[in-house]
Amino acid sequence: HVDTLRAKSNLAVILHGQGDFASAAKMERQVLDLRREMLGEGHVDTLRAMGNLAATLHAQGDFAGAAEMERQVLALSREVLG
């Protein structure tokens, strides 16, 4: 359910804020996969989930992974939102 996903996403944000990046990234990947499945690749909530994961990847020091994720967000945002 969409509200369950929102709660899971909120928890991931809190874990990120506490510095538990591994748990946050795992949860964010789950949220992203489910948002893609439920809402589609170009939905604004899916794009937000991608951005959240990119921020966590950056915090973990995975700069290449974060940059690639943000490139995808930018391309999809341009395509969908203009």
Side-chain angles (χ1 to χ4, degrees), residues 10-79:
N10 291 343
L11 178 56
V13 169
I14 290 168
L15 292 170
H16 179 114
Q18 292 176 330
D20 187 355
F21 303 125
S23 295
K26 180 180 178 182
M27 196 164 290
E28 287 166 348
R29 287 180 199 283
Q30 293 170 355
V31 169
L32 177 56
D33 289 345
L34 289 168
R35 287 196 192 275
R36 282 177 169 153
E37 182 182 316
M38 293 173 67
L39 304 172
E41 188 77 15
H43 192 279
V44 68
D45 287 345
T46 305
L47 296 173
R48 189 174 296 117
M50 292 171 75
N52 289 346
L53 178 55
T56 299
L57 293 174
H58 182 267
Q60 288 179 306
D62 181 1
F63 304 118
E68 178 55 33
M69 183 67 64
E70 286 296 349
R71 283 187 193 95
Q72 291 175 31
V73 171
L74 180 59
L76 286 166
S77 294
R78 284 181 175 155
E79 181 182 317

